[in-house]
Amino acid sequence: MFVIGARPPIRAERVDLIPLVRRGLTYVESSDAVWRVCEPAERWEQLRAKLVAKGYRVSQSYIPPSVRRYLHGERKVELGGGVAAVYVKDGVFKWRLGDEYGVGCPPAKYVAYWGQRPNCNGVVIDLKKIYKRGFWSAVAERFGDQWLLKALRGEPDDVLNALYLLAVEAARFLEALALATGVGVDAVLDVFENNSVAALAEAVFHREAERRGYVIEDSRRHFDMPYFDMARGRAPGVYKRVAELDFKSLFPSLVVKHGVDPTTARPCSNGLRAGGLGRYCFDGGPVADVIHKWLDQRLSTGDKAVSDALKWLMNAGIGAWGKAGWGMICEPCLLAVRTEAARLFDEAWRLFSPIYGDTDSIYVEEDKAGGVLSWGASLGGLRLELRGVWDVFILAPARRGGVAEKNYVKAGGGGLEVKGGLLRPHDVPLAVRLRYGDVIRVVAEGGDPVEAAVGILQNAPPEQLFIYRAVWRERLAEINKPSLFHTAARYVAERCSCDPVDVFYLPGDGVVYTPWVAVDKRLRARPADVEEVRRAAAEYVRRLWKLRALRLI
DNA sequence: ACGGGATGGTGGGTGGTCGT
DNA sequence: ACGACCACCCACCATCCCGT
């Protein structure tokens, strides 16, 4: 952490760096002194508050020392080493490493867990912190809804195997971040304790500025910038043979093309429009250069994990210019990029009247794709690519008419992609969730999705009649007005030690069904038979808006 | 003509998930 | 982190039916 200005009343040494301090919406060079704080890092949070209260300005106050040791070359990133998953069963640590299974601590560099932390050597990864949602929800999202059937059965080996899948993915992502930033996985995890990828990106921005002899003042915003929705759809309906075109890394490309950088942003009469702030010019700088390097890396890598890590770093780094909280704030930078993206988006709509578009994507009839591609090629510095042609593309109607934005289904070549909470087959019985592709096929052929779902339920195995949802114990404890779902959750929570609680349930008439038991609000239970539950499931899907919306197309 | 129960729509609140 | 959106729940209101 650095202090800018008079000598601070703490242990600090003078360093020969030029401060860039915030003035209005931009940064300017100052002749003030710069001090490196020598106090232990655990005190920085408190120290910052005290110093800021006394009128001192600070820099890099949120970068952990572990990250700094890597950025200054005192430590080198070491990649590779085995990835193991560990979980506790009856007080015993069971692990999987590749195809090997064992008990105790695994002989692996990365030890990932969910729930109780194993006391093992190596880089310990808390998967709860990485995925920030329920265990089975994360597994189902990434590796298929079939895993929810295993969640229902609850076989210990299935849990360990699912855990291992997440562990491998998480370790690969963390290593990719390490490779891209030069910050070791242990230090990346330190950042994630209190912060996000944005803080990691900013650490690299700061280091590059420092290398050039500058420190950039930390500033703080209390409100996030307003978010402009850039999604637009033509009309609800089923479209056939739809070409999808995407800009690859649009925001980073615009940063690089225009040299957008917080350290050189300044108002000028012929620059880029920055929303309502007027026009701004940029001359590149340390931040734009880092993003340039990351963009080149992303365009040349064939490794998906590395590509994803770079995408996160760039988007989080750029997005953080308008975030609330401490950081490298630059409203004109973010607004200039967004406004330019919005201008291109509008131009595409004027020229091609797409079926659908969202920020950096354009969906048009197959025969228009060539025209869109040549337009993209004429823009300079941007890469517009044909991602593919979908056999079926469905735009959902909104409840109040028009298109429900960011809600669509695209299907082709046996694959199916569903976007948006309105259409995603959550909150539906597992059988329907697993066979959602069939429901979509019926819609594409002009049939009734609700009756298709009811048909699926009539022939479904009994355990697939339930809906899956997760609820965290902490949340469950503070719920005042429990719904039927929470009633089921409380009933299940009393019978397992899981967190989040994995609830398989189905709302009924005055009761909620959990596998083969009907529970009322006082948590009184009676057995329920299959046909009773099947009827409740059919009634339930008939009520669902997400299926009736598909019917209205 | 009146009142009470049943029914159905609405709007606000709560909780959860997705997407950025 | 935050907004948008869905399912659910409840309070509230209008309407209708029907018996008195």
Side-chain angles (χ1 to χ4, degrees), chain A residues 86-95 102-105 116 118:
Chain A
V86 176
Y87 99 112
V88 185
K89 178 70 187 169
D90 303 326
V92 180
F93 288 126
K94 302 183 77 174
W95 56 260
V103 171
C105 279
Q116 194 179 331

Side-chain angles (χ1 to χ4, degrees), chain A residues 20 203 214 257 352 356-357 409 433 440 450 485 512 545 552:
Chain A
L20 286 171
Y214 294 98
K257 179 175 176 178
F352 307 109
Y356 182 75
V409 179
R433 185 163 171 173
I440 293 304
V450 179
F485 161 68
V512 58
W545 169 248
L552 293 174

Side-chain angles (χ1 to χ4, degrees), chain A residues 290-311:
Chain A
V290 169
I291 291 174
H292 195 166
K293 194 183 82 185
W294 283 342
L295 179 59
D296 286 348
Q297 277 177 26
R298 178 161 196 233
L299 295 175
S300 62
T301 187
D303 187 322
K304 188 176 181 306
V306 172
S307 175
D308 284 351
L310 288 162
K311 175 180 164 185

Side-chain angles (χ1 to χ4, degrees), chain A residues 227-250:
Chain A
Y227 175 75
F228 310 109
D229 240 340
M230 280 204 283
R232 217 177 285 171
R234 190 190 289 171
V238 177
Y239 300 87
K240 304 280 173 74
R241 301 296 299 170
V242 175
E244 175 184 350
L245 299 111
D246 293 80
F247 282 106
K248 193 155 190 196
S249 288
L250 177 61

